[in-house]
Amino acid sequence: MVLKIFFPQCCNMADSGLLIGHWLPGQDSAVVLAVVHYPFIPGQVKRYLSQLQNESRVALAVLGSWSMPKDGQEGMESFLKDLSTIFPQGRWLQLSREMGQRGFTCHVVQREGTLLGDEGDKCNGENGDGGRVIFIHYDQRKVMLSQLHTLEAGAGAGAGAGAGATVTGAGPSELRLVFSTVAQSQPLFHTDKYDDGPLKLTHWQSEGREGSIIVELAKQASVPLCLLLTWLLSLWTWLCGIRLLNLQPVRFVSSKLSTCVQLSYRTEHLQTVSSPKKALGHAEFMRKANIFVSFFVDVALGLLLISWLYQENRISLLANTLVPAADHVAQELQELLKWLMGAPAGLKINRALDEVLGRFFLYHIHLWISYIHLMSPFIEMILWYVGLCACLGLTFALSVLSDIVALLTFHIYCFYVYGARLYCLKIYGLSSLWRLFRGKKWNVLRQRVDSCSYDVDQLFIGTLLFTILLFLLPTTALYYLVFTLLRLVVVLFQGLIHLSVDSINSFPLFAMGLRICQPYRLAEGVKFRVLCEEPGKPLHLLMEINPLKFGSVMQWYRTPTYSCYPKDSWAALCKKLFVGELVYPWKHKSTKKTD
């Protein structure tokens, strides 16, 4: 039998006193949490522990005594030994350490009064059952603040679901009990050796409680700010709920604008952050912290963009560049259409249909150029006001850029829709007429192909239509191919913008900062290192925390967003492009997780 004693490193040099801790149920292990310094009154210690029972979820008790002999404290060890009769326990630990030595001396006293590990057993570091006594030293601050994650690969959906760890050589249940015991004993750490009171304790906060006070003051100061933000968001939600804004045309247009989608997304996240409800668990706290830091960095980048745009008259330069660029694109499209109206790449196409389609598209380009020149006097003013939206964040500026690209290339989208509809009509017409030649037809009710008999007139008309569509197909396919490629170029550019916005929204900045600055806060397990192994004394191990890998941090703490993902697989996308169906390769796909 091995008796494991988890001892905090902060108590290695503590003054003599009593050990406060918890015996792990079902385990032959004890977790030392604090040391009560001498002088003390046993009755006060009992009242203090009974008070902690109501505040803490851990059954705290006096585990034994701690002796650190100093000058003027002769007879302290015998005095502490006699306290086992005042604090009756199943086991009473007597730990002592001499100045200048690393190892501890351990005696275990049973409730009946028999001394285990005395003299002969003491030299071998064994208890009376023949088992060894092992001290496992741990950094109480790191254990208190850390969050252990399970090592199983499929556990990413339940971030922060418990302080469990799978460690070779130690059962996961025991480690879970150790970490949960330290975490749930927080009321014990409210008193330390510097407080005015009858009891003086040494624990992990004894040397750094000033930071905790600053955090508490920041929490108190954030309450009125959160209330103000909540009121403003409720007012904004009420304005968005006006019936006029919920009409079908307005809702349809807003759902297609990336700026409106991003605004809705940020509103929802601000409501989450400004909620006065306290985070219930580690996962919810990390989600709020990641959202807050992401929003803060987003706004900071947006303000930097504004400061760059409104210096050296860059808005005017951008407006003066935008109109010539749009004219250049329109002229290139005109040249492309004139090339298609000739003999493109030496292909022999239908002259009449080619002339009709070419003139039809050229007329659209003429309308687009007229529209651009009509709006050119107002473009600088529009860009000046639109640039102000960057104060809401860089993601808003990128969303506005995506919408501007969509508006400036709207004629290319129209060309793609026209060409796709004509091409799709011919493809489905040819496939239907091909079934006619084989004596089959498409059953709309049963959604399958059935056999059918046709008369001579139907076969003649079908053959005539099939021939016409087949010979007109190359001309339509050529226009469809060209404008589909142009549309895919625009979609690819917008997809890169959406990917950038999604990365800023979902990247766990707070979690990554913790992983870099305080890697013990996010851990995936522990490891043990031999700290001291001396003959005649118990074995001393040091428990160290393994930090979570950066990839695992992304998997656990990535903020769910609306995310842009391909709507179809590559095979389905190629099939749609081949038959002429309209494709929208990027869509807003919800990836929200329920806690």
Side-chain angles (χ1 to χ4, degrees):
M1 182 66 68
V2 177
L3 175 61
K4 294 185 286 293
I5 302 176
F6 292 85
F7 196 85
Q9 289 180 298
C10 57
C11 297
N12 286 342
M13 301 299 295
D15 295 336
S16 300
L18 296 177
L19 298 173
I20 304 297
H22 175 67
W23 286 100
L24 298 181
Q27 304 289 336
D28 199 19
S29 305
V31 181
V32 179
L33 300 173
V35 175
V36 179
H37 298 168
Y38 178 82
F40 53 83
I41 300 175
Q44 292 178 342
V45 176
K46 289 184 177 181
R47 285 194 298 269
Y48 179 67
L49 291 179
S50 63
Q51 179 184 355
L52 289 178
Q53 298 300 331
N54 301 327
E55 301 177 5
S56 175
R57 291 177 292 174
V58 179
L60 299 176
V62 178
L63 302 181
S65 62
W66 165 257
S67 178
M68 187 75 174
K70 294 184 179 179
D71 295 338
Q73 293 185 351
E74 291 78 6
M76 176 64 65
E77 189 169 353
S78 61
F79 167 74
L80 295 174
K81 178 180 178 181
D82 295 336
L83 291 176
S84 60
T85 59
I86 302 177
F87 300 97
Q89 299 291 335
R91 286 179 177 178
W92 181 264
L93 302 178
Q94 293 181 2
L95 308 184
S96 62
R97 180 183 183 184
E98 298 181 2
M99 296 296 294
Q101 294 187 2
R102 300 181 63 184
F104 300 168
T105 301
C106 176
H107 301 278
V108 182
V109 179
Q110 292 288 7
R111 188 170 184 177
E112 292 77 7
T114 58
L115 182 63
L116 303 181
D118 194 9
E119 298 301 326
D121 290 337
K122 174 179 113 176
C123 297
N124 297 323
E126 298 178 352
N127 58 32
D129 298 330
R132 292 180 59 85
V133 177
I134 299 178
F135 282 93
I136 301 176
H137 297 261
Y138 68 96
D139 192 324
Q140 199 172 45
R141 181 174 184 269
K142 293 182 178 181
V143 172
M144 180 69 191
L145 300 178
S146 65
Q147 177 67 28
L148 283 177
H149 298 73
T150 54
L151 298 181
E152 288 77 6
T166 304
V167 181
T168 304
S173 60
E174 184 176 10
L175 281 177
R176 184 179 294 110
L177 288 174
V178 171
F179 278 81
S180 62
T181 298
V182 178
Q184 294 173 6
S185 303
Q186 190 171 2
L188 176 65
F189 306 135
H190 293 167
T191 304
D192 62 21
K193 61 183 179 181
Y194 297 106
D195 290 339
D196 294 332
L199 298 179
K200 306 293 185 180
L201 282 77
T202 294
H203 47 71
W204 71 286
Q205 281 191 324
S206 298
E207 301 298 335
R209 296 190 63 189
E210 292 79 5
S212 301
I213 296 175
I214 294 175
V215 171
E216 292 299 326
L217 290 177
K219 289 180 181 179
Q220 296 297 328
S222 64
V223 172
L225 181 61
C226 289
L227 292 177
L228 177 62
L229 185 59
T230 301
W231 180 79
L232 292 176
L233 290 174
S234 62
L235 180 61
W236 170 253
T237 305
W238 177 79
L239 291 176
C240 293
I242 296 177
R243 186 173 181 180
L244 180 62
L245 299 178
N246 288 326
L247 296 178
Q248 186 60 31
V250 179
R251 292 182 60 184
F252 176 78
V253 173
S254 62
S255 64
K256 301 303 178 183
L257 294 177
S258 300
T259 306
C260 295
V261 175
Q262 178 64 16
L263 184 61
S264 174
Y265 170 75
R266 279 304 186 194
T267 301
E268 178 185 351
H269 272 193
L270 286 177
Q271 289 175 343
T272 302
V273 173
S274 62
S275 175
K277 295 175 58 179
K278 187 178 180 181
L280 299 179
H282 174 76
E284 186 176 351
F285 168 77
M286 292 296 294
R287 181 171 182 267
K288 284 188 175 183
N290 284 323
I291 292 173
F292 177 78
V293 175
S294 175
F295 178 76
F296 180 79
V297 173
D298 187 20
V299 172
L301 293 176
L303 294 177
L304 289 177
L305 179 62
I306 287 180
S307 64
W308 180 81
L309 281 176
Y310 289 90
Q311 289 179 355
E312 300 179 3
N313 203 21
R314 288 191 175 92
I315 293 291
S316 300
L317 296 176
L318 183 61
N320 296 332
T321 306
L322 194 60
V323 175
D327 286 339
H328 179 71
V329 173
Q331 291 176 3
E332 291 295 331
L333 285 176
Q334 285 180 337
E335 295 296 329
L336 178 63
L337 287 173
K338 291 179 181 178
W339 179 72
L340 291 176
M341 292 173 66
L347 297 177
K348 185 178 176 80
I349 56 180
N350 188 277
R351 297 293 304 171
L353 181 60
D354 184 32
E355 191 75 16
V356 171
L357 293 177
R359 291 183 178 276
F360 177 74
F361 291 133
L362 284 174
Y363 179 70
H364 276 70
I365 294 178
H366 173 72
L367 291 178
W368 183 251
I369 294 177
S370 302
Y371 171 72
I372 291 295
H373 285 281
L374 182 65
M375 294 293 296
S376 58
F378 310 100
I379 287 181
E380 182 178 354
M381 182 178 62
I382 293 174
L383 290 178
W384 197 91
Y385 286 106
V386 167
L388 294 177
C389 73
C391 65
L392 299 176
L394 180 62
T395 54
F396 281 92
L398 293 176
S399 300
V400 170
L401 177 61
S402 177
D403 293 334
I404 290 176
V405 170
L407 292 175
L408 291 179
T409 59
F410 184 71
H411 53 309
I412 295 179
Y413 173 74
C414 292
F415 295 164
Y416 163 69
V417 172
Y418 298 152
R421 290 302 186 190
L422 288 174
Y423 178 77
C424 183
L425 177 64
K426 287 182 171 55
I427 290 296
Y428 278 98
L430 289 172
S431 62
S432 179
L433 294 173
W434 177 250
R435 286 193 294 267
L436 182 143
F437 296 150
R438 295 183 293 129
K440 298 181 180 297
K441 70 172 183 178
W442 174 256
N443 192 326
V444 180
L445 296 178
R446 298 181 179 273
Q447 293 294 307
R448 67 183 186 185
V449 177
D450 295 334
S451 300
C452 182
S453 58
Y454 299 96
D455 55 25
V456 178
D457 295 335
Q458 291 175 328
L459 291 174
F460 174 76
I461 296 176
T463 304
L464 183 62
L465 292 176
F466 182 84
T467 305
I468 295 174
L469 292 178
L470 182 62
F471 282 102
L472 293 180
L473 180 63
T475 304
T476 306
L478 182 62
Y479 278 87
Y480 168 70
L481 176 63
V482 171
F483 291 121
T484 298
L485 293 177
L486 291 176
R487 173 61 182 167
L488 290 180
V489 170
V490 175
V491 167
L492 180 61
F493 180 72
Q494 286 185 297
L496 293 176
I497 296 177
H498 292 166
L499 185 61
S500 302
V501 173
D502 181 68
S503 299
I504 297 175
N505 287 334
S506 63
F507 191 80
L509 288 172
F510 180 77
M512 284 295 180
L514 283 183
R515 174 59 181 83
I516 295 173
C517 301
Q518 297 178 341
Y520 60 86
R521 294 288 296 270
L522 306 176
E524 64 176 357
V526 298
K527 60 183 178 182
F528 298 97
R529 180 168 60 88
V530 176
L531 189 63
C532 176
E533 187 175 8
E534 299 179 2
K537 291 188 178 181
L539 175 65
H540 291 259
L541 301 177
L542 177 63
M543 185 174 71
E544 298 177 343
I545 296 178
N546 291 326
L548 200 63
K549 296 181 177 63
F550 287 99
S552 300
V553 173
M554 285 292 299
Q555 177 185 358
W556 283 81
Y557 297 107
R558 183 179 181 272
T559 305
T561 65
Y562 57 82
S563 301
C564 294
Y565 290 98
K567 183 179 179 180
D568 304 293
S569 63
W570 289 109
L573 182 62
C574 294
K575 180 181 178 181
K576 286 188 174 183
L577 289 174
F578 180 77
V579 299
E581 294 184 15
L582 293 180
V583 293
Y584 302 95
W586 304 97
K587 73 169 184 176
H588 293 154
K589 178 180 178 181
S590 176
T591 59
K592 296 179 181 178
K593 301 176 184 177
T594 57
D595 295 335

